[in-house]
Amino acid sequence: MKQVFTIPGRLDGLNEYTASCRSHAQVGARVKRRNQEAVCWAIKAARLKPMETPVNVRITWFEKPKRKGAMMRDRDNIQFAVKFILDALVEMGIIPDDGFNDIGDVNHKCYRASDEARIVVELEEIC
């Protein structure tokens, strides 16, 4: 089975998450919760069904700077948000766990968004 969902906008990267955790533990927890909730809403909107594991994950990041003329974030900073995506998939019951035996390959592609920033997540059961 293959399923796809889209997360509108962008998720916080490693730099933002690290800064929030360093400011106060509760601030870091709120940042994680906010990002994970955004993914959960996208999963609900797509009406995903539970999947058999292991699952391959392909994530396409359509990134746009927050301000006109600003630099693009580094790819590794952007791709850190896979943590929020996998945790939300577990929370929503799409996959039972995000451990080594449940997740196969995780592939990332990053593009500059010509319109709105978004994240497209494709899930495919490994037969």
Side-chain angles (χ1 to χ4, degrees):
M1 174 186 354
K2 186 175 182 179
Q3 300 188 88
V4 178
F5 68 100
T6 301
I7 305 161
R10 55 188 234 167
L11 299 173
D12 288 329
L14 180 59
N15 293 345
E16 295 92 351
Y17 182 67
T18 302
S20 67
C21 288
R22 287 181 178 166
S23 69
H24 192 279
Q26 295 303 319
V27 176
R30 280 195 299 269
V31 167
K32 182 178 186 300
R33 184 75 237 146
R34 184 184 71 235
N35 282 275
Q36 202 166 314
E37 283 177 358
V39 179
C40 287
W41 281 110
I43 291 169
K44 286 179 187 177
R47 295 188 169 128
L48 297 187
K49 307 267 187 288
M51 300 181 76
E52 295 291 325
T53 56
V55 173
N56 284 336
V57 182
R58 182 179 303 128
I59 305 173
T60 308
W61 309 86
F62 294 93
E63 182 75 6
K64 195 170 191 173
K66 279 191 171 182
R67 297 176 315 277
K68 188 174 182 174
M71 298 270 302
M72 294 286 287
R73 297 188 295 174
D74 293 340
R75 291 172 192 264
D76 58 341
N77 188 27
I78 296 166
Q79 293 170 4
F80 160 79
V82 70
K83 170 72 174 156
F84 306 132
I85 294 169
L86 295 178
D87 287 352
L89 288 166
V90 172
E91 180 182 337
M92 298 300 295
I94 307 305
I95 56 175
D97 195 14
D98 59 351
F100 194 82
N101 294 327
D102 300 295
I103 303 297
D105 294 334
V106 178
N107 296 301
H108 300 271
K109 290 191 177 195
C110 294
Y111 299 102
R112 182 182 293 268
S114 58
D115 49 359
E116 293 300 316
R118 65 197 177 283
I119 304 157
V120 179
V121 181
E122 299 174 54
L123 306 169
E124 186 171 14
E125 293 176 348
I126 301 171
C127 298

